[in-house]
Amino acid sequence: MTQSQSRSTSPASWQPGMPEREGLWIFTRLRDFIDGIANSSPARLALSAFGLVILVFTALLSLPLASATGQATPLHQAFFTASSAVCVTGLTVVSTAVHWSFFGQLVILVGIFVGGLGTLTLASLLALMVSKRLGVRGKLIAQEAMNAGRLGEVGTLLRIVIVTSVVIEAALALVLIPRFLLLGESFPQALWHGVFYAISSFNNAGFTPHSDGIVPYETDLWILVPLMLGVFLGSLGFPVVMVLHQNGLRWKKWNLHTKLTIQVSFILLAAGTVLWGFLEWDNLRTIGDMDLGEKITHALFASVMLRSGGFNLVDQNHMESTTMLLSDALMFAGGGSASTAGGIKVTTIAVMFLAITAEARGDADVKIYGRTIPEGTMRVAISVIVAGATLVSVSALLLLQISHASLDRVLFETISAFATVGLSTNLSAELPPSGVYVLALLMFAGRVGTVTLAAGLALRQRSQLYHYPEERPIIG
Protein backbone atom coordinates (compact mmCIF):
# COMPACT_ATOMS: atom_id res chain seq x y z
CA MET A 1 0.00 0.00 0.00
CA THR A 2 1.36 3.39 -0.93
CA GLN A 3 1.65 6.34 1.41
CA SER A 4 -1.13 8.21 -0.43
CA GLN A 5 -3.43 5.20 -0.16
CA SER A 6 -2.85 4.92 3.57
CA ARG A 7 -3.64 8.61 4.03
CA SER A 8 -6.86 8.33 2.05
CA THR A 9 -8.13 5.36 4.03
CA SER A 10 -7.00 6.36 7.50
CA PRO A 11 -9.57 7.66 10.01
CA ALA A 12 -7.52 10.80 10.51
CA SER A 13 -8.11 11.83 6.88
CA TRP A 14 -11.89 12.05 7.41
CA GLN A 15 -13.19 15.55 8.02
CA PRO A 16 -16.65 16.74 9.10
CA GLY A 17 -18.84 17.63 6.17
CA MET A 18 -17.09 15.37 3.60
CA PRO A 19 -20.21 13.22 2.88
CA GLU A 20 -22.25 16.39 2.52
CA ARG A 21 -19.72 17.86 0.07
CA GLU A 22 -19.64 14.61 -1.89
CA GLY A 23 -23.44 14.55 -1.99
CA LEU A 24 -23.51 18.15 -3.20
CA TRP A 25 -20.91 17.34 -5.84
CA ILE A 26 -22.94 14.34 -7.08
CA PHE A 27 -26.12 16.41 -7.17
CA THR A 28 -24.34 19.16 -9.12
CA ARG A 29 -22.96 16.69 -11.65
CA LEU A 30 -26.37 15.04 -12.01
CA ARG A 31 -28.02 18.42 -12.50
CA ASP A 32 -25.48 19.38 -15.16
CA PHE A 33 -25.92 16.00 -16.83
CA ILE A 34 -29.69 16.47 -17.03
CA ASP A 35 -29.14 19.99 -18.34
CA GLY A 36 -26.90 18.64 -21.07
CA ILE A 37 -29.29 15.91 -22.19
CA ALA A 38 -32.35 18.15 -22.11
CA ASN A 39 -30.65 20.97 -24.00
CA SER A 40 -29.16 18.67 -26.63
CA SER A 41 -32.23 16.53 -27.31
CA PRO A 42 -35.46 17.11 -25.40
CA ALA A 43 -37.29 14.59 -27.59
CA ARG A 44 -34.80 11.86 -26.72
CA LEU A 45 -35.16 12.63 -23.01
CA ALA A 46 -38.95 12.48 -23.16
CA LEU A 47 -39.22 9.39 -25.32
CA SER A 48 -36.61 7.45 -23.36
CA ALA A 49 -38.12 8.27 -19.96
CA PHE A 50 -41.70 7.42 -20.89
CA GLY A 51 -40.70 4.36 -22.90
CA LEU A 52 -38.70 2.93 -20.01
CA VAL A 53 -41.51 3.53 -17.53
CA ILE A 54 -44.04 1.81 -19.82
CA LEU A 55 -41.77 -1.24 -20.17
CA VAL A 56 -41.40 -1.50 -16.38
CA PHE A 57 -45.16 -1.42 -15.83
CA THR A 58 -45.68 -3.86 -18.69
CA ALA A 59 -43.41 -6.33 -16.91
CA LEU A 60 -45.30 -5.85 -13.63
CA LEU A 61 -48.70 -6.34 -15.26
CA SER A 62 -47.45 -9.47 -17.04
CA LEU A 63 -46.84 -11.19 -13.70
CA PRO A 64 -49.37 -13.86 -12.65
CA LEU A 65 -49.80 -11.95 -9.40
CA ALA A 66 -51.32 -9.04 -11.34
CA SER A 67 -54.28 -10.99 -12.74
CA ALA A 68 -57.34 -12.11 -10.79
CA THR A 69 -56.99 -15.68 -12.10
CA GLY A 70 -53.32 -15.98 -11.15
CA GLN A 71 -52.29 -16.55 -14.76
CA ALA A 72 -49.85 -14.44 -16.75
CA THR A 73 -51.51 -11.76 -18.88
CA PRO A 74 -50.68 -11.84 -22.62
CA LEU A 75 -47.99 -9.37 -23.60
CA HIS A 76 -50.16 -7.24 -25.87
CA GLN A 77 -52.79 -6.79 -23.15
CA ALA A 78 -50.21 -5.94 -20.48
CA PHE A 79 -48.40 -3.53 -22.82
CA PHE A 80 -51.63 -1.81 -23.83
CA THR A 81 -52.80 -1.42 -20.23
CA ALA A 82 -49.40 -0.12 -19.12
CA SER A 83 -49.33 2.36 -22.01
CA SER A 84 -52.87 3.48 -21.23
CA ALA A 85 -52.03 3.96 -17.53
CA VAL A 86 -48.69 5.75 -17.94
CA CYS A 87 -50.07 7.88 -20.78
CA VAL A 88 -53.12 8.57 -18.53
CA THR A 89 -55.54 7.56 -21.29
CA GLY A 90 -58.03 5.07 -19.85
CA LEU A 91 -58.61 2.81 -22.83
CA THR A 92 -58.75 -0.86 -21.87
CA VAL A 93 -58.72 -4.21 -23.62
CA VAL A 94 -59.75 -6.09 -20.46
CA SER A 95 -61.97 -5.07 -17.57
CA THR A 96 -59.96 -3.25 -14.92
CA ALA A 97 -62.23 -4.51 -12.14
CA VAL A 98 -62.57 -8.11 -13.35
CA HIS A 99 -59.29 -9.06 -15.01
CA TRP A 100 -56.78 -7.50 -12.62
CA SER A 101 -56.14 -8.46 -9.01
CA PHE A 102 -55.72 -5.88 -6.28
CA PHE A 103 -51.99 -5.89 -7.03
CA GLY A 104 -52.71 -5.34 -10.72
CA GLN A 105 -55.07 -2.47 -9.98
CA LEU A 106 -52.49 -0.98 -7.62
CA VAL A 107 -49.87 -1.17 -10.38
CA ILE A 108 -52.29 0.60 -12.74
CA LEU A 109 -52.99 3.30 -10.14
CA VAL A 110 -49.26 3.86 -9.54
CA GLY A 111 -48.78 4.00 -13.31
CA ILE A 112 -51.44 6.70 -13.56
CA PHE A 113 -49.83 8.68 -10.73
CA VAL A 114 -46.32 8.37 -12.17
CA GLY A 115 -47.52 9.09 -15.69
CA GLY A 116 -49.43 12.17 -14.58
CA LEU A 117 -46.47 13.53 -12.62
CA GLY A 118 -44.13 12.68 -15.47
CA THR A 119 -46.30 14.52 -17.96
CA LEU A 120 -46.57 17.61 -15.78
CA THR A 121 -42.87 17.64 -14.97
CA LEU A 122 -41.73 16.93 -18.51
CA ALA A 123 -43.98 19.54 -20.06
CA SER A 124 -42.99 22.11 -17.46
CA LEU A 125 -39.29 21.39 -17.94
CA LEU A 126 -39.56 21.67 -21.70
CA ALA A 127 -41.58 24.86 -21.40
CA LEU A 128 -38.96 26.24 -19.05
CA MET A 129 -36.17 25.24 -21.42
CA VAL A 130 -37.89 26.88 -24.38
CA SER A 131 -38.45 30.05 -22.38
CA LYS A 132 -34.81 30.15 -21.33
CA ARG A 133 -33.84 30.13 -24.99
CA LEU A 134 -36.01 33.15 -25.73
CA GLY A 135 -34.03 35.79 -23.87
CA VAL A 136 -34.04 37.53 -20.49
CA ARG A 137 -37.77 38.23 -20.52
CA GLY A 138 -38.50 34.57 -21.20
CA LYS A 139 -36.27 33.56 -18.30
CA LEU A 140 -38.06 35.89 -15.92
CA ILE A 141 -41.48 34.66 -17.05
CA ALA A 142 -40.41 31.03 -16.75
CA GLN A 143 -38.92 31.58 -13.31
CA GLU A 144 -42.12 33.24 -12.13
CA ALA A 145 -44.44 30.64 -13.67
CA MET A 146 -42.46 27.50 -12.80
CA ASN A 147 -40.79 28.57 -9.54
CA ALA A 148 -37.50 27.16 -10.82
CA GLY A 149 -34.28 28.99 -11.51
CA ARG A 150 -32.63 26.67 -13.98
CA LEU A 151 -33.58 23.60 -15.93
CA GLY A 152 -31.41 21.21 -13.93
CA GLU A 153 -33.30 21.92 -10.71
CA VAL A 154 -35.53 18.95 -11.29
CA GLY A 155 -35.93 18.34 -7.58
CA THR A 156 -37.45 21.75 -6.90
CA LEU A 157 -39.86 21.58 -9.82
CA LEU A 158 -40.81 17.98 -9.15
CA ARG A 159 -41.45 18.75 -5.48
CA ILE A 160 -43.85 21.55 -6.41
CA VAL A 161 -45.64 19.32 -8.92
CA ILE A 162 -45.92 16.43 -6.45
CA VAL A 163 -47.16 18.61 -3.58
CA THR A 164 -49.74 20.34 -5.79
CA SER A 165 -50.97 17.06 -7.26
CA VAL A 166 -51.13 15.23 -3.93
CA VAL A 167 -52.99 18.08 -2.21
CA ILE A 168 -55.66 18.22 -4.94
CA GLU A 169 -55.99 14.44 -5.11
CA ALA A 170 -56.21 14.16 -1.31
CA ALA A 171 -58.96 16.79 -1.21
CA LEU A 172 -60.93 14.89 -3.87
CA ALA A 173 -60.47 11.61 -2.02
CA LEU A 174 -61.66 13.13 1.27
CA VAL A 175 -64.87 14.17 -0.47
CA LEU A 176 -65.45 10.82 -2.20
CA ILE A 177 -64.63 8.41 0.64
CA PRO A 178 -67.58 9.40 2.90
CA ARG A 179 -69.98 8.98 -0.02
CA PHE A 180 -68.83 5.44 -0.72
CA LEU A 181 -69.18 4.68 3.00
CA LEU A 182 -72.76 5.96 2.96
CA LEU A 183 -73.47 3.76 -0.07
CA GLY A 184 -72.72 0.68 2.03
CA GLU A 185 -69.09 -0.05 1.21
CA SER A 186 -66.67 -1.13 3.91
CA PHE A 187 -64.02 1.36 4.99
CA PRO A 188 -61.17 -0.38 3.08
CA GLN A 189 -63.33 -0.45 -0.08
CA ALA A 190 -64.44 3.15 0.32
CA LEU A 191 -60.86 4.26 0.95
CA TRP A 192 -59.57 2.38 -2.10
CA HIS A 193 -62.33 3.63 -4.39
CA GLY A 194 -62.04 7.21 -3.16
CA VAL A 195 -58.27 7.32 -3.68
CA PHE A 196 -58.51 5.52 -7.04
CA TYR A 197 -61.12 7.90 -8.45
CA ALA A 198 -59.30 10.96 -7.07
CA ILE A 199 -56.02 10.03 -8.77
CA SER A 200 -57.73 8.84 -11.94
CA SER A 201 -59.82 12.01 -12.30
CA PHE A 202 -57.11 14.60 -11.60
CA ASN A 203 -54.74 12.82 -13.98
CA ASN A 204 -57.49 12.63 -16.62
CA ALA A 205 -57.02 8.87 -16.81
CA GLY A 206 -60.60 7.57 -16.80
CA PHE A 207 -59.80 4.20 -15.20
CA THR A 208 -62.47 2.89 -12.84
CA PRO A 209 -62.26 0.06 -10.26
CA HIS A 210 -65.95 -0.83 -10.73
CA SER A 211 -66.94 -3.37 -13.38
CA ASP A 212 -69.84 -1.19 -14.55
CA GLY A 213 -67.91 2.07 -14.23
CA ILE A 214 -69.69 5.08 -12.77
CA VAL A 215 -72.99 4.40 -14.54
CA PRO A 216 -74.66 3.37 -11.23
CA TYR A 217 -73.86 6.87 -9.91
CA GLU A 218 -75.29 8.78 -12.89
CA THR A 219 -77.63 10.76 -10.62
CA ASP A 220 -75.27 11.05 -7.64
CA LEU A 221 -73.87 14.59 -7.72
CA TRP A 222 -71.76 13.84 -4.63
CA ILE A 223 -69.64 11.61 -6.87
CA LEU A 224 -70.07 13.27 -10.26
CA VAL A 225 -69.15 16.81 -9.18
CA PRO A 226 -65.77 15.88 -7.60
CA LEU A 227 -64.94 13.81 -10.68
CA MET A 228 -65.74 16.72 -13.00
CA LEU A 229 -63.81 19.15 -10.80
CA GLY A 230 -60.78 16.87 -10.68
CA VAL A 231 -60.74 16.37 -14.45
CA PHE A 232 -61.18 20.10 -15.12
CA LEU A 233 -58.39 21.11 -12.73
CA GLY A 234 -56.07 18.49 -14.19
CA SER A 235 -56.82 19.68 -17.72
CA LEU A 236 -55.83 23.29 -16.94
CA GLY A 237 -52.17 22.45 -16.50
CA PHE A 238 -49.54 22.96 -13.85
CA PRO A 239 -48.50 26.49 -14.95
CA VAL A 240 -52.12 27.67 -14.75
CA VAL A 241 -52.69 26.06 -11.35
CA MET A 242 -49.54 27.77 -10.05
CA VAL A 243 -50.66 31.17 -11.34
CA LEU A 244 -54.08 30.68 -9.72
CA HIS A 245 -52.41 29.65 -6.48
CA GLN A 246 -50.18 32.73 -6.46
CA ASN A 247 -52.59 35.37 -7.78
CA GLY A 248 -56.06 33.95 -7.09
CA LEU A 249 -58.82 35.30 -9.33
CA ARG A 250 -57.08 38.63 -10.02
CA TRP A 251 -57.38 38.64 -13.80
CA LYS A 252 -54.89 41.48 -14.36
CA LYS A 253 -52.08 39.52 -12.70
CA TRP A 254 -52.58 36.43 -14.84
CA ASN A 255 -50.12 35.84 -17.67
CA LEU A 256 -51.34 35.42 -21.25
CA HIS A 257 -51.10 31.63 -21.15
CA THR A 258 -53.38 31.44 -18.11
CA LYS A 259 -55.91 33.85 -19.60
CA LEU A 260 -56.12 31.97 -22.90
CA THR A 261 -56.23 28.54 -21.27
CA ILE A 262 -59.04 29.36 -18.85
CA GLN A 263 -61.06 31.40 -21.34
CA VAL A 264 -60.94 28.80 -24.14
CA SER A 265 -61.52 25.96 -21.67
CA PHE A 266 -64.75 27.54 -20.43
CA ILE A 267 -65.85 28.34 -23.99
CA LEU A 268 -65.36 24.71 -25.07
CA LEU A 269 -66.99 23.48 -21.87
CA ALA A 270 -70.10 25.61 -22.42
CA ALA A 271 -70.31 24.91 -26.15
CA GLY A 272 -69.82 21.18 -25.61
CA THR A 273 -72.53 21.06 -22.95
CA VAL A 274 -75.09 22.87 -25.10
CA LEU A 275 -74.32 21.00 -28.32
CA TRP A 276 -74.07 17.55 -26.73
CA GLY A 277 -77.34 18.07 -24.87
CA PHE A 278 -79.06 19.40 -27.99
CA LEU A 279 -77.93 16.50 -30.17
CA GLU A 280 -78.83 13.81 -27.62
CA TRP A 281 -81.98 15.47 -26.21
CA ASP A 282 -84.46 13.08 -27.87
CA ASN A 283 -82.20 10.03 -28.12
CA LEU A 284 -84.02 7.36 -26.09
CA ARG A 285 -80.90 5.19 -26.00
CA THR A 286 -79.00 7.83 -24.01
CA ILE A 287 -80.85 10.70 -22.26
CA GLY A 288 -84.10 10.95 -24.20
CA ASP A 289 -86.34 9.63 -21.39
CA MET A 290 -84.67 11.60 -18.55
CA ASP A 291 -85.97 14.70 -16.81
CA LEU A 292 -84.50 18.16 -17.37
CA GLY A 293 -82.05 18.08 -14.48
CA GLU A 294 -80.64 14.69 -15.45
CA LYS A 295 -80.23 15.77 -19.08
CA ILE A 296 -78.29 18.88 -18.05
CA THR A 297 -76.11 16.81 -15.70
CA HIS A 298 -75.33 14.27 -18.43
CA ALA A 299 -74.55 16.99 -20.98
CA LEU A 300 -72.22 18.85 -18.61
CA PHE A 301 -70.53 15.63 -17.51
CA ALA A 302 -70.00 14.52 -21.11
CA SER A 303 -68.55 17.91 -22.09
CA VAL A 304 -66.03 17.79 -19.23
CA MET A 305 -64.99 14.20 -19.91
CA LEU A 306 -64.58 14.73 -23.65
CA ARG A 307 -61.76 17.14 -22.83
CA SER A 308 -59.63 14.12 -21.79
CA GLY A 309 -61.40 12.81 -18.67
CA GLY A 310 -62.55 9.48 -20.02
CA PHE A 311 -65.40 8.64 -17.61
CA ASN A 312 -68.75 8.00 -19.26
CA LEU A 313 -72.39 7.74 -18.20
CA VAL A 314 -73.82 6.53 -21.52
CA ASP A 315 -72.77 3.90 -24.03
CA GLN A 316 -70.77 5.66 -26.72
CA ASN A 317 -72.17 3.29 -29.37
CA HIS A 318 -75.69 4.54 -28.60
CA MET A 319 -74.93 8.17 -29.39
CA GLU A 320 -76.06 9.84 -32.58
CA SER A 321 -73.51 10.01 -35.39
CA THR A 322 -73.55 13.80 -35.14
CA THR A 323 -72.74 13.55 -31.42
CA MET A 324 -69.84 11.25 -32.18
CA LEU A 325 -68.50 13.82 -34.65
CA LEU A 326 -68.82 16.54 -32.01
CA SER A 327 -67.05 14.26 -29.54
CA ASP A 328 -64.21 13.75 -32.03
CA ALA A 329 -63.73 17.52 -32.31
CA LEU A 330 -63.74 18.10 -28.54
CA MET A 331 -61.37 15.21 -27.89
CA PHE A 332 -58.97 16.41 -30.56
CA ALA A 333 -58.95 19.87 -28.96
CA GLY A 334 -57.98 18.47 -25.55
CA GLY A 335 -56.97 20.53 -22.53
CA GLY A 336 -54.28 22.95 -21.42
CA SER A 337 -50.56 22.78 -22.13
CA ALA A 338 -48.35 21.16 -19.48
CA SER A 339 -51.41 19.34 -18.14
CA THR A 340 -52.50 15.73 -17.78
CA ALA A 341 -54.97 16.26 -20.64
CA GLY A 342 -54.15 15.34 -24.22
CA GLY A 343 -55.14 16.67 -27.62
CA ILE A 344 -53.56 19.55 -29.51
CA LYS A 345 -54.23 21.84 -26.49
CA VAL A 346 -56.55 24.81 -26.12
CA THR A 347 -53.79 27.40 -26.49
CA THR A 348 -53.03 25.97 -29.92
CA ILE A 349 -56.66 26.51 -30.88
CA ALA A 350 -56.62 30.01 -29.40
CA VAL A 351 -53.50 31.02 -31.35
CA MET A 352 -54.91 29.72 -34.64
CA PHE A 353 -58.27 31.43 -34.07
CA LEU A 354 -56.53 34.70 -33.29
CA ALA A 355 -54.35 34.37 -36.39
CA ILE A 356 -57.40 33.75 -38.59
CA THR A 357 -59.19 36.71 -37.02
CA ALA A 358 -56.18 38.98 -37.57
CA GLU A 359 -55.91 37.87 -41.20
CA ALA A 360 -59.62 38.49 -41.77
CA ARG A 361 -59.28 42.00 -40.33
CA GLY A 362 -56.11 42.72 -42.27
CA ASP A 363 -54.00 43.21 -39.13
CA ALA A 364 -50.26 42.78 -39.49
CA ASP A 365 -49.87 41.46 -35.91
CA VAL A 366 -51.78 38.86 -33.92
CA LYS A 367 -52.75 40.69 -30.72
CA ILE A 368 -54.70 39.79 -27.61
CA TYR A 369 -54.93 41.40 -24.14
CA GLY A 370 -52.25 43.97 -24.95
CA ARG A 371 -49.75 41.36 -26.14
CA THR A 372 -48.47 40.37 -29.59
CA ILE A 373 -48.10 36.68 -30.37
CA PRO A 374 -44.84 35.97 -32.27
CA GLU A 375 -44.93 34.38 -35.72
CA GLY A 376 -42.83 31.50 -34.42
CA THR A 377 -45.59 30.54 -32.01
CA MET A 378 -48.11 30.43 -34.83
CA ARG A 379 -45.81 28.18 -36.90
CA VAL A 380 -45.48 25.81 -33.95
CA ALA A 381 -49.28 25.76 -33.54
CA ILE A 382 -49.75 24.88 -37.22
CA SER A 383 -47.13 22.13 -36.94
CA VAL A 384 -48.82 20.60 -33.87
CA ILE A 385 -52.22 20.57 -35.59
CA VAL A 386 -50.87 19.04 -38.80
CA ALA A 387 -48.81 16.46 -36.91
CA GLY A 388 -51.81 15.47 -34.80
CA ALA A 389 -54.12 15.19 -37.80
CA THR A 390 -51.51 13.11 -39.63
CA LEU A 391 -51.09 10.69 -36.72
CA VAL A 392 -54.85 10.26 -36.41
CA SER A 393 -55.32 9.76 -40.17
CA VAL A 394 -52.56 7.18 -40.56
CA SER A 395 -53.65 5.26 -37.45
CA ALA A 396 -57.31 5.30 -38.50
CA LEU A 397 -56.32 3.95 -41.92
CA LEU A 398 -54.38 1.09 -40.31
CA LEU A 399 -57.22 0.27 -37.91
CA LEU A 400 -59.78 0.32 -40.69
CA GLN A 401 -57.70 -2.25 -42.54
CA ILE A 402 -57.13 -4.37 -39.44
CA SER A 403 -60.60 -4.29 -37.87
CA HIS A 404 -62.94 -3.69 -40.85
CA ALA A 405 -65.12 -1.72 -38.42
CA SER A 406 -67.17 1.33 -39.37
CA LEU A 407 -65.40 4.64 -39.88
CA ASP A 408 -67.19 6.46 -37.06
CA ARG A 409 -66.13 3.84 -34.49
CA VAL A 410 -62.55 3.69 -35.76
CA LEU A 411 -62.19 7.48 -35.88
CA PHE A 412 -63.68 7.84 -32.40
CA GLU A 413 -61.32 5.24 -30.94
CA THR A 414 -58.31 6.65 -32.77
CA ILE A 415 -58.86 10.24 -31.61
CA SER A 416 -59.60 9.01 -28.09
CA ALA A 417 -56.22 7.24 -28.05
CA PHE A 418 -54.28 10.13 -29.59
CA ALA A 419 -55.88 12.69 -27.27
CA THR A 420 -55.46 10.30 -24.29
CA VAL A 421 -59.17 10.61 -23.48
CA GLY A 422 -60.13 7.00 -22.81
CA LEU A 423 -63.74 7.05 -24.02
CA SER A 424 -64.39 3.97 -26.12
CA THR A 425 -66.85 2.31 -28.45
CA ASN A 426 -65.36 -0.99 -27.18
CA LEU A 427 -63.32 -1.31 -30.36
CA SER A 428 -60.08 -1.63 -28.37
CA ALA A 429 -61.28 -4.86 -26.75
CA GLU A 430 -62.32 -6.28 -30.14
CA LEU A 431 -59.02 -5.63 -31.93
CA PRO A 432 -56.43 -8.34 -32.64
CA PRO A 433 -52.94 -7.87 -31.16
CA SER A 434 -51.75 -5.90 -34.21
CA GLY A 435 -54.51 -3.32 -33.74
CA VAL A 436 -53.82 -3.18 -30.01
CA TYR A 437 -50.19 -2.29 -30.68
CA VAL A 438 -51.23 0.43 -33.13
CA LEU A 439 -53.45 2.06 -30.51
CA ALA A 440 -50.77 1.68 -27.81
CA LEU A 441 -48.17 3.43 -29.96
CA LEU A 442 -50.71 6.12 -30.83
CA MET A 443 -51.34 6.77 -27.12
CA PHE A 444 -47.60 7.06 -26.59
CA ALA A 445 -47.20 9.42 -29.55
CA GLY A 446 -50.20 11.49 -28.49
CA ARG A 447 -48.93 11.85 -24.94
CA VAL A 448 -45.27 12.61 -25.64
CA GLY A 449 -45.20 13.53 -29.29
CA THR A 450 -47.00 16.87 -29.38
CA VAL A 451 -45.15 18.16 -26.31
CA THR A 452 -41.71 17.28 -27.63
CA LEU A 453 -42.62 18.44 -31.13
CA ALA A 454 -43.65 21.86 -29.88
CA ALA A 455 -40.55 22.19 -27.71
CA GLY A 456 -38.26 20.90 -30.45
CA LEU A 457 -39.62 23.31 -33.04
CA ALA A 458 -39.36 26.23 -30.65
CA LEU A 459 -35.76 25.35 -29.83
CA ARG A 460 -34.83 25.10 -33.51
CA GLN A 461 -35.60 28.76 -34.15
CA ARG A 462 -32.44 30.56 -35.23
CA SER A 463 -31.51 34.03 -36.30
CA GLN A 464 -30.71 34.81 -39.95
CA LEU A 465 -28.29 37.37 -41.29
CA TYR A 466 -30.20 37.81 -44.53
CA HIS A 467 -33.80 37.97 -45.76
CA TYR A 468 -34.99 37.01 -49.25
CA PRO A 469 -37.42 39.25 -51.12
CA GLU A 470 -41.02 38.43 -50.28
CA GLU A 471 -43.39 36.91 -52.85
CA ARG A 472 -46.87 35.74 -51.90
CA PRO A 473 -48.32 32.68 -53.73
CA ILE A 474 -52.04 32.58 -54.44
CA ILE A 475 -53.90 31.02 -51.50
CA GLY A 476 -57.44 29.66 -51.77
Side-chain angles (χ1 to χ4, degrees):
M1 180 181 296
T2 65
Q3 186 177 2
S4 62
Q5 288 176 325
S6 63
R7 279 200 304 265
S8 63
T9 57
S10 63
S13 65
W14 181 88
Q15 297 178 2
M18 285 186 63
E20 289 78 2
R21 288 198 296 270
E22 290 180 0
L24 180 61
W25 178 80
I26 294 174
F27 173 77
T28 303
R29 294 294 300 270
L30 179 62
R31 183 183 63 186
D32 294 338
F33 176 73
I34 295 174
D35 271 336
I37 294 179
N39 282 309
S40 62
S41 179
R44 188 191 311 165
L45 175 66
L47 295 174
S48 301
F50 267 81
L52 181 62
V53 171
I54 289 175
L55 292 179
V56 170
F57 280 94
T58 299
L60 291 175
L61 290 176
S62 299
L63 297 174
L65 179 63
S67 68
T69 60
Q71 299 178 350
T73 301
L75 179 61
H76 68 281
Q77 295 179 351
F79 178 71
F80 185 91
T81 305
S83 301
S84 183
V86 174
C87 296
V88 290
T89 303
L91 288 176
T92 58
V93 290
V94 294
S95 173
T96 305
V98 176
H99 178 84
W100 303 108
S101 64
F102 175 77
F103 174 77
Q105 293 182 22
L106 182 61
V107 169
I108 292 174
L109 187 63
V110 174
I112 294 171
F113 185 76
V114 172
L117 290 180
T119 299
L120 290 172
T121 306
L122 171 66
S124 301
L125 286 173
L126 293 178
L128 176 60
M129 177 174 58
V130 170
S131 298
K132 289 173 72 69
R133 289 286 188 89
L134 299 180
V136 177
R137 178 175 174 80
K139 293 180 182 180
L140 294 176
I141 294 175
Q143 186 174 5
E144 179 182 357
M146 306 296 180
N147 282 0
R150 50 180 305 210
L151 179 62
E153 294 176 350
V154 181
T156 301
L157 184 59
L158 184 58
R159 183 165 58 250
I160 297 172
V161 173
I162 291 177
V163 171
T164 303
S165 302
V166 169
V167 168
I168 295 176
E169 290 165 354
L172 294 172
L174 289 177
V175 174
L176 291 171
I177 290 172
R179 184 53 180 165
F180 287 120
L181 286 173
L182 292 176
L183 291 175
E185 295 186 0
S186 63
F187 180 76
Q189 282 183 320
L191 178 64
W192 170 245
H193 291 157
V195 171
F196 196 104
Y197 279 114
I199 295 177
S200 185
S201 62
F202 177 72
N203 290 287
N204 282 218
F207 280 93
T208 170
H210 292 109
S211 58
D212 46 3
I214 61 171
V215 175
Y217 313 114
E218 61 179 346
T219 59
D220 194 335
L221 295 180
W222 194 339
I223 292 178
L224 298 184
V225 171
L227 291 181
M228 289 189 287
L229 185 60
V231 168
F232 187 77
L233 288 176
S235 68
L236 291 179
F238 172 67
V240 174
V241 173
M242 288 305 300
V243 170
L244 293 177
H245 175 71
Q246 294 171 358
N247 302 309
L249 299 179
R250 290 172 288 184
W251 172 271
K252 293 183 179 180
K253 292 194 174 184
W254 292 357
N255 57 21
L256 181 60
H257 172 76
T258 301
K259 291 178 180 178
L260 290 178
T261 299
I262 292 181
Q263 185 176 16
V264 178
S265 294
F266 275 109
I267 290 175
L268 292 178
L269 176 63
T273 301
V274 173
L275 292 175
W276 195 96
F278 174 77
L279 295 174
E280 291 295 312
W281 197 263
D282 296 323
N283 187 353
L284 296 178
R285 296 184 299 173
T286 55
I287 64 172
D289 58 350
M290 298 180 182
D291 58 36
L292 178 61
E294 292 177 341
K295 288 183 177 181
I296 294 176
T297 300
H298 274 69
L300 178 61
F301 189 87
S303 181
V304 173
M305 297 307 156
L306 285 169
R307 304 287 311 293
S308 195
F311 298 107
N312 66 286
L313 295 177
V314 299
D315 191 332
Q316 307 301 299
N317 289 301
H318 292 167
M319 296 190 306
E320 303 286 353
S321 58
T322 51
T323 310
M324 294 188 70
L325 185 60
L326 170 67
S327 302
D328 292 340
L330 291 175
M331 290 190 297
F332 190 73
S337 299
S339 74
T340 55
I344 60 174
K345 305 298 187 296
V346 294
T347 45
T348 304
I349 297 174
V351 168
M352 292 310 302
F353 175 80
L354 293 172
I356 294 172
T357 303
E359 188 67 25
R361 292 177 176 177
D363 296 337
D365 295 330
V366 179
K367 303 180 292 292
I368 184 70
Y369 298 129
R371 298 290 186 270
T372 299
I373 297 178
E375 291 185 3
T377 302
M378 289 182 283
R379 290 197 299 268
V380 172
I382 294 174
S383 301
V384 169
I385 293 174
V386 172
T390 302
L391 280 172
V392 169
S393 300
V394 172
S395 301
L397 181 64
L398 291 174
L399 290 179
L400 279 172
Q401 180 64 29
I402 293 173
S403 66
H404 302 289
S406 60
L407 177 60
D408 55 351
R409 292 186 67 202
V410 169
L411 188 61
F412 187 96
E413 205 84 6
T414 303
I415 295 179
S416 180
F418 164 77
T420 65
V421 176
L423 292 173
S424 177
T425 59
N426 204 38
L427 181 63
S428 299
E430 301 172 3
L431 289 173
S434 57
V436 169
Y437 286 122
V438 169
L439 278 182
L441 293 176
L442 182 60
M443 288 188 291
F444 180 78
R447 167 52 60 200
V448 185
T450 54
V451 176
T452 55
L453 173 65
L457 291 175
L459 290 172
R460 289 179 64 87
Q461 295 180 12
R462 55 186 181 180
S463 58
Q464 294 185 159
L465 301 179
Y466 58 89
H467 185 73
Y468 289 118
E470 292 186 356
E471 183 177 352
R472 174 173 294 189
I474 300 174
I475 302 296

